[in-house]
Amino acid sequence: MIQHQVVWLTGLSGAGKTTISVKVANRLESHGLKVLTLDGDVVRSKREIPLGFSPEDIRVNNMLIIEICQESLPDYDVILVPVISPFADSRANAKETLGNSMIEVYVRVSLEEASRRDPKGLYRDQESGKLQGLVGVEDEVPYQPPENPNLILDTESLDADSCASELADHILGRSQ
Ligand code: ADP
């Protein structure tokens, strides 16, 4: 019997949360598990007034995701949550609400490497002044790394496939 799990992936933009989630979802589904992926952007854009990236909006977005996890967990074996979630208090809220069914995964990358990858062009937009308040770049919206995550995936020393295998094994191991 699988234990229903929320796998919360936190890390800078460009860390690899989405890439790893897609690979992990495929792997889990091939084991017959029912998987939901809750991407932060999808939740953000579903609101009547779309949420932005101010610290307040980020906190609201994270709260909404926690609520959706709570509502949806009975229907899924695993919910993957690839969201930057830069604030320790939001992640602590998630843990408090979801309890033992949640694991926190730190998808680690240096700011230098994240801005070199820049898959969405956000660091470039920040540099040129088109975008303000990108998480981890300006003091106004710092990224607070988790102090005690269940798993750290170091995306600078492991490639995406290895990170995904490690996470999938962790999830499958917990579910036995
Ligand atoms: P995020 O969802 O965290 O913003 P993305 O998954 O959208 O990040 O983008 C990460 C980028 O980094 C992709 O272009 C991916 O191919 C690349 N990458 C390089 N190494 C890794 C790794 N070990 N894990 C995940 N992605 C990696």
Side-chain angles (χ1 to χ4, degrees):
M1 244 317 259
I2 173 117
Q3 184 204 335
H4 298 261
Q5 299 177 54
V6 173
V7 179
W8 193 286
L9 295 97
T10 174
L12 290 171
S13 178
K17 303 178 295 297
T18 308
T19 305
I20 293 168
S21 292
V22 170
K23 290 175 185 291
V24 167
N26 287 338
R27 174 101 183 259
L28 297 178
E29 281 165 356
S30 75
H31 277 77
L33 300 186
K34 201 172 166 202
V35 181
L36 171 69
T37 302
L38 283 178
D39 189 294
D41 290 340
V42 172
V43 175
R44 182 175 286 112
S45 60
K46 268 197 187 147
R47 298 262 297 181
E48 215 170 300
I49 302 167
L51 292 163
F53 291 92
S54 66
E56 177 57 23
D57 277 8
I58 290 172
R59 285 194 165 87
V60 172
N61 179 256
N62 285 193
M63 275 309 296
L64 288 171
I65 291 172
I66 296 167
E67 279 172 25
I68 298 171
C69 285
Q70 219 179 358
E71 285 165 13
S72 311
L73 197 52
D75 299 329
Y76 291 90
D77 298 310
V78 176
I79 302 181
L80 298 170
V81 185
V83 280
I84 301 176
S85 46
F87 303 128
D89 59 278
S90 293
R91 298 189 308 259
N93 261 335
K95 267 190 192 159
E96 216 165 278
T97 310
L98 301 166
N100 279 339
S101 52
M102 170 181 153
I103 62 166
E104 186 180 31
V105 179
Y106 179 23
V107 183
R108 187 158 66 188
V109 72
S110 63
L111 186 56
E112 292 68 33
E113 173 64 9
S115 49
R116 196 191 62 74
R117 291 180 189 168
D118 206 8
K120 295 177 199 143
L122 297 179
Y123 293 95
R124 204 181 44 230
D125 285 351
Q126 165 84 26
E127 183 98 336
S128 69
K130 247 208 270 177
L131 175 77
Q132 258 147 38
L134 183 58
V135 169
V137 178
E138 284 173 12
D139 293 347
E140 184 202 328
V141 199
Y143 178 77
Q144 301 170 340
E147 283 178 7
N148 206 6
N150 298 83
L151 191 66
I152 298 175
L153 298 175
D154 194 329
T155 69
E156 285 181 70
S157 54
L158 281 182
D159 66 19
D161 282 329
S162 307
C163 289
S165 292
E166 194 175 333
L167 179 53
D169 287 347
H170 186 91
I171 295 167
L172 291 166
R174 275 185 102 231
S175 69
Q176 275 155 14

